[in-house]
Amino acid sequence: MCVGIALAWSELPTDLIRRHNLERRVHDRGGEREVRFLYRDRQPRLPIWRDGRLQIVRWGNGRDQSRLLPPTGWTWQATVEDGYWRNLDAVLVDIPAALGFERGVWFRIRQGIRGVLVPDEHGVAVAYMICEPSSHYYQIMTRSSRMPILIEERI
Amino acid sequence: MGHLDADCFYVSAERVRDAFLVDKPVGVLGNQGACVIAKSYEMKAAGVKTADPIWEALVKCPDGIYVKRDFRWYEVLSRLMRDLVHELSPRVEYYSIDEFFFQAEVRGGRTFQDLAEAMRDRIWERIGVPVTVGIARTRTLAKLISDAAKPHGALAVIDEDEVEQFLAVQPVTEITGVAGRRAARLAPWGIATCLDLARADRRLVRKLLTAAGETLWWELNGEPVQAIHSRRPAHKALSRGGSFGESTADPMVLYAWLVRNLERLIEELRFHDVAAGRLTVMVQYKTGHTGAGGKSLVVPSDRFDVLLETARPCLRQAWMRGVQATHMHLIAENLAPRGQCALALFDPPSQRIQAEAVARVKEQINDRHGRFTLRSAATLYLPSIYRDTANAYDICDIRGKICF
């Protein structure tokens, strides 16, 4: 499972950075600052594009904040296609990402990752990353059996 | 003579189309994602070496960014580089995908140093790939100089005194082809630097390093022996193969790889209009052992059915039951021009005509609809390899270059 993403600092509006206290997620790589969103963070968050606006929302339900939503941060594409999320008023969203992180491997993502956004019983927006079975290459690179669905790209 | 070598070429090529990767530690992964085949200088500084498995590279450079190799893109840039080198030189040798030898010529009051800088800058400005250029009296010297001037350097060393100073500080192991055992053979004679080798007795060098060593001796002394080949000499052998990515002991999977590599080899035989007189199958195992099987054909052939019948027993010879295999190579030797091969006594003409017709149809369909669109059903055991389009193209499929 892709357990983290990174975005260049310059990709995020200052307003969002301040509002969500993203400074603490900043890392330096090759002299360029980037913001890392990791699932293992005590407050896992994901950036999403919704209605043309970039937002920062909760990533999944790993800490059982909701009884309604599944206690994970990912969902299979097949589950989405089967209509599981339809009854929960979920919408499809894009998760912008420059890099993905899985089993210690940072890999380049050109556009982003597909996700679903769903409100929990308190009305809080929660994002899940959509996955599919790994490609041969991705499986060898990360030793993971599932990979995120990348936007207009296949690793 | 000039030598031009791209700096961390695959990474630079990725950076040409993806500025996000600039100045960051980047590794290009080959072998279907299993190991680093090229790394940026930032990743190199962290201790990552070419051919490191990814799990080792991750430990050395946890912040590294890994990208999938794309040989098709690298070839596009490589051919652009070759064309630019041609603009400044009448003779160019396409040595490898990122390395060229060229005839250095200057006119109109310009110097060799100007030429080296012009070539480096032109490629950087027009293509965006950093390269290093070395110019000297011989190929060996030019290569030594460009290696020493890396990265993104341009250096012409023509003056004999300057050459001598340069050679005095270069360990003899900097010369391509002198390492390990050869260097150990030279050490007792006090030959540690390139200058030591150049000053050594020629007969002694020949004795220690054979005729190849003597060639180096002449070249180090500024006497050009190795010419520039602007066209690739005819192949003595053709080979196809490589890593499986994931090791396997499954005989059906091994057989599928045999067929895949054979189909690639036949493409190459047909492109060069030659037929194989001998076929060798080599299988490398996780244990470090290599199994090999070889067989000569009754008459040289490029036919799938004939070559498969030849390759099958070779694979049986090379096969170690139950042992995990990692690589396979198929080598076609004793190449003969296709049209001049004798016909086999017990090969009915109808069968030969039919096989040729099938091969042509296969070629036409694959030309039009993509490589491996039509292929042997035996390769169905490798669905993930064929699903991933990156595997449709390998580095050794790049034609025209001299190095393998």
Side-chain angles (χ1 to χ4, degrees), chain A residues 41-139:
Chain A
D41 196 280
R42 62 190 150 86
Q43 288 179 321
R45 294 285 182 270
L46 274 179
I48 55 138
W49 279 107
R50 191 184 177 195
D51 301 330
R53 260 186 352 118
L54 189 62
Q55 298 176 22
I56 307 288
V57 298
R58 202 171 85 206
W59 183 355
N61 186 29
R63 291 169 196 277
D64 288 328
Q65 298 99 323
S66 165
R67 289 183 182 179
L68 183 72
L69 299 177
T72 171
W74 302 266
T75 181
W76 287 106
Q77 186 180 27
T79 310
V80 176
E81 286 166 357
D82 288 347
Y84 172 86
W85 293 97
R86 211 173 296 142
N87 304 327
L88 296 167
D89 294 330
V91 288
L92 292 173
V93 289
D94 290 347
I95 301 165
L99 297 167
F101 183 61
E102 174 132 22
R103 300 221 182 176
V105 181
W106 284 102
F107 58 93
R108 180 77 170 114
I109 296 174
R110 312 276 176 199
Q111 293 196 42
I113 297 169
R114 302 270 183 219
V116 287
L117 186 69
V118 59
D120 71 3
E121 59 268 47
H122 312 294
V124 175
V126 181
Y128 287 80
M129 209 178 262
I130 304 178
C131 296
E132 62 180 328
S134 290
S135 66
H136 179 70
Y137 182 91
Y138 190 89
Q139 182 151 18

Side-chain angles (χ1 to χ4, degrees), chain B residues 299 301 303 305-306 342-357:
Chain B
V299 292
S301 177
R303 266 168 57 180
D305 55 340
V306 173
L343 301 178
L345 197 57
F346 300 106
D347 187 14
S350 59
Q351 206 171 320
R352 185 164 40 83
I353 292 164
Q354 202 176 13
E356 179 58 27

Side-chain angles (χ1 to χ4, degrees), chain A residues 6-8 28-32 34 36 98-99 101-108 110 134-143 154-155, chain B residues 14 17-18 20-21 23-25 29-34 54-55 58 62-69 244-246 384-385 387-388 391:
Chain A
L7 262 182
D28 189 283
R29 194 194 313 251
E32 190 178 345
E34 66 186 30
R36 291 182 185 176
L99 297 167
F101 183 61
E102 174 132 22
R103 300 221 182 176
V105 181
W106 284 102
F107 58 93
R108 180 77 170 114
R110 312 276 176 199
S134 290
S135 66
H136 179 70
Y137 182 91
Y138 190 89
Q139 182 151 18
I140 290 180
M141 177 174 74
T142 62
R143 286 175 279 176
R154 175 110 181 134
I155 293 183
Chain B
E14 291 296 337
R17 61 180 176 184
D18 188 358
F20 179 82
L21 300 173
D23 293 334
K24 297 187 175 78
L29 294 178
N31 286 359
Q32 294 145 47
I54 183 164
W55 55 91
L58 290 177
D63 262 356
I65 300 170
Y66 295 93
V67 291
K68 184 178 182 174
R69 55 81 163 177
F244 299 148
E246 264 175 335
S384 49
I385 300 297
R387 213 178 290 133
D388 185 348
N391 293 316

